[in-house]
Amino acid sequence: MWDDCCDYNMVREVRVKGIAYLGVGAIDKIDPILGRLKSEGITAVLCVCGGHAYRASGAWDKAEAAALRHGIVLALYNRVTPSPTTDTVDDAAALGRAINAGAVLAIGGGSPLDCGKSAAILLANPGKSAEDLFCFRFTPQKALPLVAVNLTHGTGSEVNRFAVVTVSGRSHRSIVGHDCMYPRYAIDDPALMTGLSAEQSRYVSINAFCRVVEAATATAANPLAVTLARETVRLVHHWLPVALDEPENLKARYGLCLAALQAGVAFDNSHLHLAHALEQPLGRLRNLPHGMRLAILLPAVIGACYAAKPDVLAHVLGPVAPGLRGMPEEADQAARAVERWIFSLGITQKLLDLGVQEFDVEEFCNFVEQTPSLGLLLSVAPVSISRQLVARIYTESLRPMM
């Protein structure tokens, strides 16, 4: 068992913070939440959203009605796009300052939630910009209260302290994580997610899956991260096919919501590493969806990491790769099993299918080496990082392993 290898002399930090409401109808909690904010003297709230999901899901109608009942001004910033930039964060914060916002409400997937977290910091730290935050020019100690209404079962951003934003004018994304960035309240309502397309459902769920595999194997992982990882893998393995066949199946969406929430806590108690570092060049140079990039790379990443953490990965991957015994020589078996499972979900593309060629590997490796923000991710990987290892992962991801 993986826990036989736990070092009980190593003191690990276990993080749990904030209140999350999970279940069908959880969006109705927005009314008492805004009531509590009003009782604290907050009369204006900045609402950060993407382009349309906040309305299509019905979340905005609930929030607007609750704000009206409590006499709260709700200012809408609905221009957040995937991989938001520091300019976007600055724009959202400017709207918040214009109404003297006392709190931030973020509605959406990972991008709106990350933008909302970042704007909440800027609003509590006058004179600071998003570039200051994401280029590490200051360490924030405070942020406005944040309410996170999650609309996808993927990132778990609604329950952790991290935000990822692209630094405007530069070629990379930057991640920050501070204690003041935890949402005070999170809402995970499966009924808000039945409108996700099959493609979105696949990609966000693979994101949750990948996050826990990395969180469980990072050098900073604690036992809670490993425990949550196994259960997250089980939930995604069981419920994602059901959600793809029956998009409005609330029990399936609930299972995937729980999986993503657990992934967020696991990530918060550990870190991400190889897959989330190496997918970045694919996003910038090939503009592929985040979840697709992870799905393509994950089997090779597991193959590269398995020998370093065979007991943990055998435990975590059990639902999709039964029969693993936790032996280093099972690396190829584990990687192939995960790839077969990903293919069974309808994600069959590899890099060659998407126009990437052998010679592109060098450019990807250069990007990884030259992007400062990837250093932290790579530093907590369970294996020693070299250009040769990075190139091997990209090369093995060009075509199917099967």
Side-chain angles (χ1 to χ4, degrees):
M1 290 293 290
W2 70 271
D3 51 344
D4 290 336
C5 299
C6 285
D7 184 356
Y8 53 80
N9 290 309
M10 176 70 71
V11 177
R12 296 292 191 185
E13 181 178 276
V14 177
R15 285 178 170 262
V16 286
K17 194 169 184 179
I19 298 173
Y21 297 103
L22 169 68
V24 175
I27 187 59
D28 291 331
K29 293 292 185 180
I30 194 66
D31 189 284
I33 288 172
L34 292 185
R36 289 175 208 142
L37 295 180
K38 183 61 180 293
S39 71
E40 296 173 19
I42 293 172
T43 58
V45 172
L46 170 67
C47 184
V48 178
C49 311
H52 65 277
Y54 72 101
R55 284 192 184 274
S57 65
W60 169 255
D61 290 341
K62 293 281 188 177
E64 189 177 39
L68 183 62
R69 276 192 295 274
H70 293 288
I72 291 176
V73 174
L74 203 57
L76 177 63
Y77 182 88
N78 61 351
R79 298 193 295 277
V80 180
T81 58
S83 300
T85 66
T86 48
D87 286 345
T88 301
V89 175
D90 286 333
D91 287 346
L95 176 59
R97 281 191 290 271
I99 63 163
N100 194 27
V104 175
L105 168 64
I107 304 176
S111 294
L113 300 190
D114 288 356
C115 185
K117 290 178 180 179
S118 308
I121 286 180
L122 299 189
L123 290 171
N125 293 271
K128 301 297 184 182
S129 69
E131 185 170 310
D132 291 333
L133 176 62
F134 285 92
C135 290
F136 312 106
R137 295 172 188 154
F138 81 109
T139 300
Q141 302 298 321
K142 58 184 178 179
L144 294 189
L146 175 69
V147 181
V149 178
N150 182 33
L151 298 185
T152 68
H153 38 71
T155 68
S157 186
E158 74 277 13
V159 291
N160 67 43
R161 68 193 190 279
F162 293 101
V164 180
V165 166
T166 300
V167 179
S168 299
R170 304 190 187 188
S171 60
H172 66 273
R173 288 179 290 164
S174 179
I175 182 170
V176 297
H178 302 286
D179 284 351
C180 62
M181 295 174 67
Y182 283 105
R184 183 184 294 186
Y185 302 104
I187 291 175
D188 278 299
D189 189 333
L192 302 179
M193 304 178 195
T194 57
L196 291 173
S197 68
E199 183 177 80
Q200 290 171 319
S201 297
R202 289 184 181 98
Y203 292 154
V204 298
S205 299
I206 287 294
N207 190 4
F209 184 103
C210 186
R211 282 171 182 265
V212 295
V213 169
E214 292 179 271
T217 54
T219 56
N222 64 30
L224 178 61
V226 178
T227 301
L228 292 174
R230 165 67 184 226
E231 180 61 7
T232 297
V233 167
R234 184 190 71 80
L235 288 167
V236 174
H237 176 257
H238 181 76
W239 290 115
L240 181 53
V242 179
L244 293 175
D245 289 339
E246 306 170 35
E248 296 188 7
N249 186 313
L250 291 176
K251 192 169 185 179
R253 295 292 182 184
Y254 179 90
L256 294 172
C257 279
L258 177 57
L261 186 152
Q262 291 178 164
V265 176
F267 166 34
D268 198 45
N269 276 273
S270 181
H271 220 297
L272 306 179
H273 52 80
L274 272 165
H276 273 80
L278 271 55
E279 64 86 19
Q280 289 204 28
L282 304 182
R284 175 176 176 265
L285 303 175
R286 287 296 183 271
N287 196 30
L288 306 174
H290 179 60
M292 177 187 284
R293 303 193 302 260
L294 295 174
I296 289 170
L297 295 174
L298 183 58
V301 168
I302 288 173
C305 294
Y306 193 91
K309 293 285 186 178
D311 46 356
V312 170
L313 281 171
H315 175 71
V316 169
L317 297 175
V320 300
L324 296 175
R325 296 171 295 135
M327 307 297 290
E329 58 269 22
E330 295 170 332
D332 187 63
Q333 177 187 346
R336 290 173 183 269
V338 170
E339 185 176 78
R340 285 193 298 271
W341 174 70
I342 290 173
F343 281 9
S344 76
L345 298 171
I347 307 175
T348 59
Q349 301 96 331
K350 300 301 285 188
L351 291 180
L352 284 175
D353 300 317
L354 300 168
V356 176
Q357 301 299 319
E358 299 268 0
F359 59 77
D360 290 317
V361 170
E362 286 298 308
E363 185 178 7
F364 294 161
C365 290
N366 291 338
F367 181 99
V368 171
E369 289 181 347
Q370 296 166 11
T371 304
S373 63
L374 301 185
L376 176 59
L377 296 180
L378 296 176
S379 72
V380 297
V383 292
S384 178
I385 302 300
S386 65
R387 187 181 180 92
Q388 291 73 24
L389 176 68
V390 170
R392 190 183 98 199
I393 291 172
Y394 283 129
T395 300
E396 290 181 355
S397 301
L398 287 168
R399 52 185 62 83
M401 295 179 171
M402 302 170 63

